[in-house]
Amino acid sequence: MATTEHGSHGPLAGVRVVELAGIGPGPFAAMLLADLGADVVRVDRPGGAGLGIDPAYDLTNRNKRSVLVDLKAEGGAATVLDLAERADILIEGYRPGVAERLGVGPDAALARNPRLVYGRMTGWGQDGPLAERAGHDIAYIALTGTLSMIGRPGEPPTVPANLVGDYAGGSLYLVVGVLAALQHARTPGGRGQVVDAAIVDGAAHLATMIHGMLAAGGWQDRRGSNLLDGGCPFYGTYETADGQYMAVGPLEQRFYDEFGRLLGIGDTAPDRGDITRWEELRTLVADRFRTRTRAEWTEVFEGSDACVAPVLSLREAPHHPHIAARATFVEYGGLTQPAPAPRFSATPASVRRGPARPGADTGAVAADWGVPGLATP
């Protein structure tokens, strides 16, 4: 069993995870499992993962432990398979075929541990014409049509950082997949299996509702022209007098009525149901928001059901009264960071350790997991 420090917090207490070090969605998925209480051991390679991020600030490696293993050295693959034999889940994010060439692919791992859930995190997936190609978040969401929806009409698509592809379409689907497979593995007659989590699959799946609306004629296949993509004048952002922004989203009539009253356009605004007058309405709303600062508009809409909120920066967000009251951000080891999510009434999750330093836990993991070959000479 995992040690008390690493196995007694959160709903995944007692679950053991091996993470083969990578960048982006794989580490984030492993962090989420670690946040929820799993004992995640990250197998770092000598020399690091390649992006040059100071490990002390890599928050995606919080709540984990790290060991150093050179998979290309003699005995490296055998050591990883020793860990896999004692694990419930293994996560890797190599290109298709790389894990097999290194000797730690699904066949080798499942031969040692038939109940192992082997999670594979890639952009293009394990098969298909592009499977062997390099890529990043922006290419994956581009090919699925997801990127085409984001931005203003007549302008280039807006890049949504790497949140939609890497983390929403990748990490979260990998976590759902490995936990579902773990449930199956633990049922009578169940067994381990491979989970192929491709960002193109997840990013496409995220747009399921939009595809339904498209088929029904309720969504136009061009950005900035629809109810939820900024085309609607009462679902978007508006600049304030001080160059800041307010987010507006009163879709329901009763919320919109309150919005119009508080904004001061209730008696002069054109019918919101008349799409031909949407640009007129947008101009009216924009002109009103430019008459006051963000702080002043925030006070106006405070406590209302008008569905209006200030657009806060990354540094401002933790200090908002609601965000602070819920402790949505926490400080650990001098670093302000998002708290684990979601929340559990009986098995609360927490930030228990700062970012794992490569190789720092080799001795402890060797003892806890019973893998003496890990121990540093």
Side-chain angles (χ1 to χ4, degrees), residues 10-100:
L12 295 184
V15 173
R16 283 179 165 174
V17 179
V18 174
E19 175 200 351
L20 303 186
I23 59 174
F28 187 87
M31 180 208 74
L32 180 50
L33 295 172
D35 282 354
L36 300 185
D39 181 7
V40 176
V41 171
R42 178 177 166 94
V43 179
D44 277 300
R45 68 195 73 172
L51 284 186
I53 298 173
D54 185 341
Y57 295 94
D58 190 349
L59 292 173
T60 63
N61 285 329
R62 72 185 185 192
N63 286 338
K64 303 176 184 178
R65 297 190 286 177
S66 170
V67 301
L68 280 182
V69 177
D70 186 351
L71 277 168
K72 296 182 179 180
E74 183 178 357
T79 300
V80 169
L81 292 177
D82 285 342
L83 288 169
E85 184 176 343
R86 294 157 174 79
D88 299 290
I89 297 168
L90 183 147
I91 289 174
E92 60 94 355
Y94 302 135
R95 290 200 208 186
V98 172
E100 286 84 349

Side-chain angles (χ1 to χ4, degrees), residues 128-364:
L130 296 178
E132 301 293 334
R133 301 291 185 183
H136 278 296
D137 174 289
I138 192 168
Y140 311 139
I141 64 174
L143 213 62
T144 59
T146 309
L147 181 59
S148 74
M149 297 188 294
I150 306 171
R152 294 193 57 79
E155 297 180 6
T158 298
V159 180
N162 67 331
L163 303 177
V164 175
D166 279 351
Y167 298 138
S171 304
L172 297 186
Y173 279 87
L174 176 62
V175 169
V176 169
V178 297
L179 293 181
L182 180 62
Q183 166 67 14
H184 170 74
R186 290 183 165 183
T187 59
R191 63 186 186 277
Q193 61 182 303
V194 177
V195 177
D196 176 5
I199 295 173
V200 289
D201 297 344
H205 193 260
L206 287 170
T208 299
M209 183 191 77
I210 304 299
H211 280 278
M213 295 173 69
L214 183 67
W219 189 276
Q220 300 180 69
D221 196 11
R222 58 180 187 272
R223 61 184 163 277
S225 305
N226 299 284
L227 190 65
L228 302 174
D229 64 358
C232 172
F234 44 93
Y235 197 87
T237 58
Y238 289 92
E239 188 176 7
T240 55
D242 54 346
Q244 300 296 318
Y245 290 86
M246 298 294 289
V248 170
L251 295 177
E252 294 83 354
Q253 185 65 53
R254 66 185 185 280
F255 301 152
Y256 180 81
D257 290 343
E258 188 164 358
F259 165 73
R261 177 178 60 80
L262 292 173
L263 188 65
I265 64 170
D267 297 330
T268 58
D271 179 11
R272 74 171 196 157
D274 185 352
I275 296 178
T276 65
R277 301 188 69 184
W278 270 10
E279 285 309 310
E280 180 185 348
L281 177 56
R282 190 190 314 279
T283 298
L284 178 63
V285 172
D287 288 346
R288 283 294 298 161
F289 269 114
R290 280 193 289 265
T291 64
R292 299 185 187 182
T293 66
R294 186 184 69 176
E296 290 172 330
W297 282 120
T298 298
E299 185 175 355
V300 168
F301 289 102
E302 191 74 27
S304 77
D305 277 344
C307 303
V308 176
V311 178
L312 303 181
S313 72
L314 291 174
R315 295 191 186 278
E316 289 175 320
H319 305 290
H320 185 275
H322 180 81
I323 301 299
R326 285 185 57 81
T328 298
F329 290 83
V330 297
E331 184 174 319
Y332 188 95
L335 298 176
T336 299
Q337 55 198 280
R343 305 183 185 202
F344 299 84
S345 61
T347 54
S350 63
V351 178
R352 308 177 303 281
R353 290 170 59 96
R357 308 299 178 92
D361 309 293
T362 300

